[in-house]
């Protein structure tokens, strides 16, 4: 019997910018500061973010998490990517 795998939608940059309400520069500053997950490379010139990670980061901001809590969340999200392989 095969295991059923959940399909996680991937969001390209314009969708992430719309979902977060920030500009490109702010998004990449957050990534650099560990406050948002980095994109996944899809190819030589294409990247995307798992929709669940974008939602988790937005939820943390909405609930008023401080920067250290968000950094822990982001680290946990990035680490969980390796379990999907």
């Amino acid at each position: 019997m095969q295991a059923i795998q959940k399909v996680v939608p991937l969001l390209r940059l314009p969708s992430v910018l719309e979902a977060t309400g920030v500009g490109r520069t702010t998004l990449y500053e957050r990534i650099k500061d560990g406050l948002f997950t980095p994109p996944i490379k899809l190819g030589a010139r294409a990247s995307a973010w798992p929709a669940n990670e974008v939602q988790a980061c937005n939820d943390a901001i909405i609930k008023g998490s401080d920067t250290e809590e968000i950094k822990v969340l982001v680290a946990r999200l990035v680490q969980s990517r390796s379990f999907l392989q």
Side-chain angles (χ1 to χ4, degrees), residues 22-65:
V22 299
R24 178 187 172 109
T25 301
T26 300
L27 178 68
Y28 281 100
E29 284 176 355
R30 287 183 181 177
I31 292 168
K32 181 181 67 119
D33 294 339
L35 299 172
F36 203 84
T37 57
I40 295 169
K41 292 295 285 178
L42 301 176
R45 298 184 60 180
S47 297
W49 286 259
N52 63 315
E53 293 180 6
V54 174
Q55 186 64 52
C57 290
N58 281 345
D59 290 346
I61 292 167
I62 290 168
K63 83 173 194 179
S65 299

Side-chain angles (χ1 to χ4, degrees), residues 6 13 23 71 76:
K6 182 179 177 183
L13 181 61
K71 286 181 180 183
R76 194 180 81 234

Side-chain angles (χ1 to χ4, degrees), residues 30 32-36 65-77:
R30 287 183 181 177
K32 181 181 67 119
D33 294 339
L35 299 172
F36 203 84
S65 299
D66 63 28
T67 55
E68 289 307 312
E69 292 172 324
I70 295 173
K71 286 181 180 183
V72 169
L73 169 67
V74 168
R76 194 180 81 234
L77 290 169

